[in-house]
Amino acid sequence: MFHRQFSQSAAPVHWNVQRKEAHALLRRLLDTPEDLIEHLRHNAASVIMNVTYGINISSKGDRYITIAEKALAVKYIPEWAPGAGFRRKAREWKKAVREMRDAPFETTMDAIKEGTASPSFVLNLFQELEAESKDCLKNNIEVVKGCAGMSYAGGTESTLSALSSFVLAIILYPEVQEKAQEELDHLLDHSRLPDFLDRDSLPYINAIVKEVLRWSPVAPLGLPHMASEDDEYNGYFIPAGTTVVGNTWAILHNPITFPNPSVFNPDRFLVPGKLKTSSDPSPLDPLSATFGYGRRICPGRYMAGAQLWISIACILAVFDIKCGVDEDGRPVRPHPTFTSGLIR
Ligand code: HEM
């Protein structure tokens, strides 16, 4: 269900929402740039809630966002968390995770019954299943609910991570910002904001998106997979049931494929005037690793790619991102640090 609704060919369906939210992000950044991370989170959450449930997120403190953030806070608790309070906490978390799955879904189902539902993942699937048969709808609606619930969990923190890394990279590498703005100004002539149809005309912005996902992979070790049958790889026997962890970090920071891998350098994906293609040397596309592997590869990857692109292009078109300054007005160069865990 997920892969079909978020396929490459379906991605343009989400452009309107993504464009609107990118423009809203610009206004928020203009008003209160110091709340950067909050604005980026709001942007990611708004797009997901809109696309998945047809729900518009109002503002700070929105009910659905509060519910979801409470449920997702679970992942910050270390596995070894000791003590008798643990079972009580586990019960609370279970409740929070259920509520995250149920609350927005019920809102959409009510809207469907009243005939007021906006287009969304849930509405599409509901209509498809209903057209099939009443039984089909009854048997599958719980799956729809589960899939929809996964989209906030899968899509918010990951997009936030990538956009935060973008801002950090631009602060650390001001020459990248300059080149990007030259490209944007040349095409747009300060007369409008960039839009999705400009993608092919803005290779440097495309290269920035790739470099963000390579330089700071959102999930450096992906998600664990399991071998469903006995397998052999390069002479190693892998019995069925083995947990296999794809080392995305090692792939994307391999100095043979990506010389000076810790340097943020979008040019590594370019030949003069355009993006490298598979016929150019060393063209490994970070998108082939950063979104995971095989059947469980991120189903939101086309939507995520479009969202990173429009946000990054719009931000660079209207703002200069610079270091903050100290009391004496001197720029303070940040020392990058990252959180650990599944998502960086
Ligand atoms: C920059 C943004 C994103 C990155 C880097 C990212 C990355 C990933 C990765 C590495 C996985 C694990 C894949 C594997 O098991 O091999 C994953 C899974 C998943 N992602 Fe994303 N993701 C992003 C955005 C999104 C968005 C926007 C959505 C929703 C619309 C989404 C939905 C999901 C879901 C549902 C899964 C679980 C798939 C499954 O278990 O079969 N992701 N993502």
Side-chain angles (χ1 to χ4, degrees):
M1 281 177 182
F2 218 112
H3 279 281
R4 209 155 32 86
Q5 292 285 322
F6 290 97
S7 68
Q8 188 165 22
S9 55
V13 172
H14 309 306
W15 285 357
N16 276 342
V17 172
Q18 291 178 315
R19 183 190 301 111
K20 190 177 127 235
E21 290 300 335
H23 295 178
L25 172 65
L26 298 184
R27 283 191 291 274
R28 290 197 188 96
L29 287 175
L30 180 64
D31 291 342
T32 47
E34 63 279 12
D35 294 333
L36 170 75
I37 298 294
E38 197 182 301
H39 297 327
L40 296 179
R41 183 190 297 280
H42 186 102
N43 168 259
S46 292
V47 172
I48 292 284
M49 293 305 279
N50 207 315
V51 162
T52 311
Y53 299 104
I55 291 176
N56 279 313
I57 295 302
S58 45
S59 58
K60 228 169 152 173
D62 176 272
R63 175 180 167 227
Y64 300 108
I65 304 295
T66 310
I67 292 172
E69 292 302 325
K70 194 168 158 199
L72 293 176
V74 172
K75 66 178 184 299
Y76 297 117
I77 309 295
E79 239 174 76
W80 42 263
F86 191 76
R87 285 166 72 89
R88 183 180 50 77
K89 277 232 166 318
R91 271 198 303 277
E92 273 174 31
W93 291 330
K94 186 169 174 183
K95 193 166 153 263
V97 171
R98 286 248 163 94
E99 205 183 356
M100 158 174 161
R101 199 191 52 186
D102 294 347
F105 185 78
E106 277 159 18
T107 303
T108 307
M109 292 306 283
D110 288 346
I112 291 175
K113 276 186 211 129
E114 286 161 17
T116 55
S118 310
S120 68
F121 174 80
V122 171
L123 177 64
N124 277 354
L125 287 170
F126 179 93
Q127 287 172 335
E128 262 182 33
L129 294 171
E130 196 182 36
E132 197 86 7
S133 72
K134 283 265 174 279
D135 270 355
C136 188
L137 178 63
K138 198 164 142 245
N139 295 337
N140 286 295
I141 200 69
E142 282 297 308
V143 183
V144 177
K145 193 203 267 192
C147 278
M150 275 297 292
S151 65
Y152 191 96
T156 310
E157 204 86 359
S158 50
T159 309
L160 168 64
S161 158
L163 283 176
S164 312
S165 294
F166 155 71
V167 175
L168 176 65
I170 288 297
I171 291 175
L172 296 175
Y173 296 86
E175 66 279 8
V176 171
Q177 171 159 256
E178 263 172 46
K179 274 190 174 180
Q181 290 176 336
E182 259 170 43
E183 184 183 73
L184 286 160
D185 293 349
H186 183 72
L187 181 76
L188 308 170
D189 200 21
H190 300 278
S191 60
R192 63 176 176 88
L193 287 169
D195 205 352
F196 290 104
L197 294 179
D198 299 321
R199 267 166 114 171
D200 288 347
S201 314
L202 294 168
Y204 196 72
I205 303 291
N206 298 337
I208 290 181
V209 174
K210 283 183 195 288
E211 184 65 342
V212 165
L213 292 168
R214 183 203 69 80
W215 182 67
S216 179
V218 165
L221 292 175
L223 282 191
H225 285 222
M226 189 190 74
S228 48
E229 46 192 69
D230 288 354
D231 202 352
E232 201 186 300
Y233 180 76
N234 277 356
Y236 291 94
F237 175 60
I238 302 169
T242 305
T243 300
V244 180
V245 176
N247 193 343
T248 304
W249 179 271
I251 294 171
L252 296 178
H253 281 245
N254 177 349
I256 297 170
T257 332
F258 301 108
N260 299 321
S262 56
V263 173
F264 187 88
N265 174 19
D267 279 311
R268 61 175 88 245
F269 298 111
L270 295 166
V271 285
K274 64 178 178 64
L275 279 178
K276 282 184 181 170
T277 61
S278 49
S279 54
D280 294 303
S282 282
L284 180 72
D285 189 342
L287 306 193
S288 66
T290 210
F291 287 111
Y293 312 95
R295 288 176 59 194
R296 302 299 292 271
I297 193 171
C298 174
R301 64 195 182 283
Y302 299 110
M303 193 176 114
Q307 183 149 343
L308 295 182
W309 190 89
I310 194 77
S311 313
I312 288 174
C314 283
I315 289 174
L316 289 173
V318 299
F319 293 121
D320 287 332
I321 302 177
K322 290 183 179 162
C323 301
V325 289
D326 66 14
E327 313 76 88
D328 303 321
R330 284 182 304 236
V332 183
R333 194 178 150 88
H335 299 289
T337 52
F338 289 86
T339 56
S340 63
L342 193 67
I343 291 187
R344 197 164 120 96

mmCIF file of all heavy atoms in Angstrom, residues 224-249:
data_model
loop_
_atom_site.group_PDB
_atom_site.id
_atom_site.type_symbol
_atom_site.label_atom_id
_atom_site.label_comp_id
_atom_site.label_asym_id
_atom_site.label_seq_id
_atom_site.Cartn_x
_atom_site.Cartn_y
_atom_site.Cartn_z
ATOM 1 N N PRO A 224 17.888 -2.557 10.955
ATOM 2 C CA PRO A 224 18.309 -3.956 10.868
ATOM 3 C C PRO A 224 17.348 -4.761 9.986
ATOM 4 O O PRO A 224 16.150 -4.537 10.014
ATOM 5 C CB PRO A 224 18.227 -4.447 12.315
ATOM 6 C CG PRO A 224 18.009 -3.257 13.160
ATOM 7 C CD PRO A 224 17.500 -2.157 12.301
ATOM 8 N N HIS A 225 17.907 -5.661 9.204
ATOM 9 C CA HIS A 225 17.095 -6.583 8.411
ATOM 10 C C HIS A 225 17.359 -8.004 8.927
ATOM 11 O O HIS A 225 18.274 -8.220 9.715
ATOM 12 C CB HIS A 225 17.497 -6.514 6.941
ATOM 13 C CG HIS A 225 17.006 -5.288 6.236
ATOM 14 N ND1 HIS A 225 16.485 -5.308 4.981
ATOM 15 C CD2 HIS A 225 16.957 -3.998 6.636
ATOM 16 C CE1 HIS A 225 16.139 -4.098 4.624
ATOM 17 N NE2 HIS A 225 16.422 -3.268 5.608
ATOM 18 N N MET A 226 16.571 -8.988 8.438
ATOM 19 C CA MET A 226 16.803 -10.378 8.830
ATOM 20 C C MET A 226 16.839 -11.256 7.587
ATOM 21 O O MET A 226 15.983 -11.110 6.707
ATOM 22 C CB MET A 226 15.696 -10.865 9.755
ATOM 23 C CG MET A 226 15.986 -12.215 10.363
ATOM 24 S SD MET A 226 14.551 -12.904 11.203
ATOM 25 C CE MET A 226 13.544 -13.394 9.819
ATOM 26 N N ALA A 227 17.836 -12.125 7.522
ATOM 27 C CA ALA A 227 17.901 -13.051 6.384
ATOM 28 C C ALA A 227 16.739 -14.034 6.514
ATOM 29 O O ALA A 227 16.617 -14.728 7.526
ATOM 30 C CB ALA A 227 19.231 -13.795 6.389
ATOM 31 N N SER A 228 15.857 -14.078 5.502
ATOM 32 C CA SER A 228 14.691 -14.963 5.627
ATOM 33 C C SER A 228 15.051 -16.397 5.231
ATOM 34 O O SER A 228 14.331 -17.326 5.546
ATOM 35 C CB SER A 228 13.522 -14.437 4.794
ATOM 36 O OG SER A 228 13.971 -14.123 3.504
ATOM 37 N N GLU A 229 16.180 -16.587 4.522
ATOM 38 C CA GLU A 229 16.645 -17.953 4.251
ATOM 39 C C GLU A 229 18.175 -17.988 4.289
ATOM 40 O O GLU A 229 18.820 -16.936 4.272
ATOM 41 C CB GLU A 229 16.124 -18.434 2.902
ATOM 42 C CG GLU A 229 16.288 -17.424 1.796
ATOM 43 C CD GLU A 229 15.500 -17.803 0.547
ATOM 44 O OE1 GLU A 229 14.243 -17.759 0.597
ATOM 45 O OE2 GLU A 229 16.145 -18.154 -0.450
ATOM 46 N N ASP A 230 18.749 -19.198 4.335
ATOM 47 C CA ASP A 230 20.208 -19.334 4.310
ATOM 48 C C ASP A 230 20.752 -18.610 3.080
ATOM 49 O O ASP A 230 20.126 -18.639 2.020
ATOM 50 C CB ASP A 230 20.625 -20.812 4.205
ATOM 51 C CG ASP A 230 20.360 -21.561 5.497
ATOM 52 O OD1 ASP A 230 19.966 -20.911 6.494
ATOM 53 O OD2 ASP A 230 20.545 -22.795 5.510
ATOM 54 N N ASP A 231 21.916 -17.995 3.254
ATOM 55 C CA ASP A 231 22.485 -17.243 2.129
ATOM 56 C C ASP A 231 24.011 -17.330 2.209
ATOM 57 O O ASP A 231 24.568 -17.746 3.238
ATOM 58 C CB ASP A 231 22.032 -15.776 2.225
ATOM 59 C CG ASP A 231 22.100 -15.078 0.867
ATOM 60 O OD1 ASP A 231 22.621 -15.668 -0.098
ATOM 61 O OD2 ASP A 231 21.649 -13.924 0.795
ATOM 62 N N GLU A 232 24.658 -16.957 1.129
ATOM 63 C CA GLU A 232 26.113 -16.905 1.148
ATOM 64 C C GLU A 232 26.545 -15.623 0.479
ATOM 65 O O GLU A 232 25.980 -15.211 -0.538
ATOM 66 C CB GLU A 232 26.690 -18.104 0.399
ATOM 67 C CG GLU A 232 28.113 -18.375 0.822
ATOM 68 C CD GLU A 232 28.778 -19.462 -0.008
ATOM 69 O OE1 GLU A 232 28.265 -20.601 -0.006
ATOM 70 O OE2 GLU A 232 29.795 -19.140 -0.640
ATOM 71 N N TYR A 233 27.536 -14.948 1.090
ATOM 72 C CA TYR A 233 28.024 -13.704 0.498
ATOM 73 C C TYR A 233 29.538 -13.679 0.598
ATOM 74 O O TYR A 233 30.085 -13.794 1.703
ATOM 75 C CB TYR A 233 27.426 -12.478 1.213
ATOM 76 C CG TYR A 233 27.918 -11.176 0.620
ATOM 77 C CD1 TYR A 233 27.412 -10.724 -0.604
ATOM 78 C CD2 TYR A 233 28.896 -10.428 1.255
ATOM 79 C CE1 TYR A 233 27.877 -9.551 -1.171
ATOM 80 C CE2 TYR A 233 29.366 -9.243 0.697
ATOM 81 C CZ TYR A 233 28.847 -8.814 -0.521
ATOM 82 O OH TYR A 233 29.315 -7.664 -1.094
ATOM 83 N N ASN A 234 30.231 -13.565 -0.540
ATOM 84 C CA ASN A 234 31.703 -13.538 -0.564
ATOM 85 C C ASN A 234 32.306 -14.636 0.310
ATOM 86 O O ASN A 234 33.230 -14.385 1.087
ATOM 87 C CB ASN A 234 32.220 -12.178 -0.063
ATOM 88 C CG ASN A 234 32.201 -11.141 -1.181
ATOM 89 O OD1 ASN A 234 31.869 -11.465 -2.325
ATOM 90 N ND2 ASN A 234 32.541 -9.922 -0.845
ATOM 91 N N GLY A 235 31.753 -15.824 0.230
ATOM 92 C CA GLY A 235 32.289 -16.941 0.995
ATOM 93 C C GLY A 235 31.817 -17.013 2.436
ATOM 94 O O GLY A 235 32.133 -17.963 3.150
ATOM 95 N N TYR A 236 31.069 -16.034 2.909
ATOM 96 C CA TYR A 236 30.537 -16.083 4.277
ATOM 97 C C TYR A 236 29.154 -16.736 4.253
ATOM 98 O O TYR A 236 28.291 -16.317 3.473
ATOM 99 C CB TYR A 236 30.377 -14.680 4.865
ATOM 100 C CG TYR A 236 31.678 -13.985 5.151
ATOM 101 C CD1 TYR A 236 32.247 -13.122 4.215
ATOM 102 C CD2 TYR A 236 32.335 -14.184 6.367
ATOM 103 C CE1 TYR A 236 33.445 -12.485 4.475
ATOM 104 C CE2 TYR A 236 33.533 -13.546 6.632
ATOM 105 C CZ TYR A 236 34.081 -12.696 5.677
ATOM 106 O OH TYR A 236 35.259 -12.072 5.945
ATOM 107 N N PHE A 237 28.960 -17.717 5.132
ATOM 108 C CA PHE A 237 27.639 -18.340 5.232
ATOM 109 C C PHE A 237 26.769 -17.518 6.186
ATOM 110 O O PHE A 237 27.187 -17.189 7.293
ATOM 111 C CB PHE A 237 27.797 -19.774 5.751
ATOM 112 C CG PHE A 237 26.476 -20.441 6.000
ATOM 113 C CD1 PHE A 237 25.563 -20.621 4.955
ATOM 114 C CD2 PHE A 237 26.139 -20.880 7.283
ATOM 115 C CE1 PHE A 237 24.332 -21.227 5.191
ATOM 116 C CE2 PHE A 237 24.909 -21.488 7.525
ATOM 117 C CZ PHE A 237 24.012 -21.656 6.470
ATOM 118 N N ILE A 238 25.583 -17.165 5.737
ATOM 119 C CA ILE A 238 24.665 -16.372 6.578
ATOM 120 C C ILE A 238 23.412 -17.205 6.820
ATOM 121 O O ILE A 238 22.569 -17.343 5.929
ATOM 122 C CB ILE A 238 24.288 -15.047 5.883
ATOM 123 C CG1 ILE A 238 25.563 -14.242 5.575
ATOM 124 C CG2 ILE A 238 23.331 -14.219 6.726
ATOM 125 C CD1 ILE A 238 25.332 -13.042 4.668
ATOM 126 N N PRO A 239 23.277 -17.798 8.023
ATOM 127 C CA PRO A 239 22.107 -18.649 8.253
ATOM 128 C C PRO A 239 20.812 -17.839 8.296
ATOM 129 O O PRO A 239 20.832 -16.665 8.667
ATOM 130 C CB PRO A 239 22.380 -19.274 9.627
ATOM 131 C CG PRO A 239 23.673 -18.755 10.113
ATOM 132 C CD PRO A 239 24.144 -17.679 9.199
ATOM 133 N N ALA A 240 19.706 -18.486 7.922
ATOM 134 C CA ALA A 240 18.394 -17.848 8.026
ATOM 135 C C ALA A 240 18.223 -17.332 9.445
ATOM 136 O O ALA A 240 18.647 -17.967 10.402
ATOM 137 C CB ALA A 240 17.312 -18.862 7.693
ATOM 138 N N GLY A 241 17.607 -16.180 9.588
ATOM 139 C CA GLY A 241 17.353 -15.631 10.913
ATOM 140 C C GLY A 241 18.440 -14.667 11.381
ATOM 141 O O GLY A 241 18.276 -13.974 12.385
ATOM 142 N N THR A 242 19.554 -14.602 10.646
ATOM 143 C CA THR A 242 20.626 -13.689 11.040
ATOM 144 C C THR A 242 20.171 -12.233 10.883
ATOM 145 O O THR A 242 19.520 -11.890 9.902
ATOM 146 C CB THR A 242 21.861 -13.893 10.124
ATOM 147 O OG1 THR A 242 22.221 -15.259 10.166
ATOM 148 C CG2 THR A 242 23.029 -13.018 10.544
ATOM 149 N N THR A 243 20.521 -11.404 11.854
ATOM 150 C CA THR A 243 20.279 -9.971 11.706
ATOM 151 C C THR A 243 21.399 -9.370 10.868
ATOM 152 O O THR A 243 22.569 -9.611 11.145
ATOM 153 C CB THR A 243 20.250 -9.287 13.088
ATOM 154 O OG1 THR A 243 19.201 -9.868 13.846
ATOM 155 C CG2 THR A 243 20.020 -7.789 12.955
ATOM 156 N N VAL A 244 21.018 -8.639 9.856
ATOM 157 C CA VAL A 244 22.010 -8.035 8.964
ATOM 158 C C VAL A 244 21.864 -6.516 9.030
ATOM 159 O O VAL A 244 20.770 -5.988 8.852
ATOM 160 C CB VAL A 244 21.803 -8.496 7.501
ATOM 161 C CG1 VAL A 244 22.834 -7.859 6.581
ATOM 162 C CG2 VAL A 244 21.863 -10.009 7.410
ATOM 163 N N VAL A 245 22.978 -5.847 9.355
ATOM 164 C CA VAL A 245 22.945 -4.396 9.452
ATOM 165 C C VAL A 245 23.750 -3.814 8.301
ATOM 166 O O VAL A 245 24.944 -4.095 8.169
ATOM 167 C CB VAL A 245 23.550 -3.930 10.803
ATOM 168 C CG1 VAL A 245 23.604 -2.409 10.875
ATOM 169 C CG2 VAL A 245 22.743 -4.497 11.966
ATOM 170 N N GLY A 246 23.109 -3.056 7.441
ATOM 171 C CA GLY A 246 23.805 -2.437 6.315
ATOM 172 C C GLY A 246 24.560 -1.208 6.807
ATOM 173 O O GLY A 246 23.959 -0.307 7.389
ATOM 174 N N ASN A 247 25.877 -1.166 6.581
ATOM 175 C CA ASN A 247 26.658 -0.043 7.104
ATOM 176 C C ASN A 247 26.638 1.134 6.111
ATOM 177 O O ASN A 247 27.571 1.366 5.362
ATOM 178 C CB ASN A 247 28.094 -0.494 7.390
ATOM 179 C CG ASN A 247 28.855 0.536 8.213
ATOM 180 O OD1 ASN A 247 28.434 1.694 8.302
ATOM 181 N ND2 ASN A 247 29.965 0.119 8.793
ATOM 182 N N THR A 248 25.529 1.851 6.169
ATOM 183 C CA THR A 248 25.323 2.970 5.247
ATOM 184 C C THR A 248 26.447 3.999 5.371
ATOM 185 O O THR A 248 26.928 4.549 4.377
ATOM 186 C CB THR A 248 23.957 3.622 5.552
ATOM 187 O OG1 THR A 248 22.965 2.600 5.452
ATOM 188 C CG2 THR A 248 23.636 4.739 4.589
ATOM 189 N N TRP A 249 26.864 4.248 6.610
ATOM 190 C CA TRP A 249 27.932 5.229 6.849
ATOM 191 C C TRP A 249 29.197 4.842 6.070
ATOM 192 O O TRP A 249 29.787 5.665 5.368
ATOM 193 C CB TRP A 249 28.240 5.331 8.344
ATOM 194 C CG TRP A 249 29.344 6.303 8.598
ATOM 195 C CD1 TRP A 249 30.681 6.037 8.622
ATOM 196 C CD2 TRP A 249 29.214 7.721 8.776
ATOM 197 N NE1 TRP A 249 31.390 7.193 8.829
ATOM 198 C CE2 TRP A 249 30.517 8.242 8.929
ATOM 199 C CE3 TRP A 249 28.109 8.590 8.835
ATOM 200 C CZ2 TRP A 249 30.761 9.593 9.130
ATOM 201 C CZ3 TRP A 249 28.352 9.939 9.041
ATOM 202 C CH2 TRP A 249 29.658 10.425 9.185
#
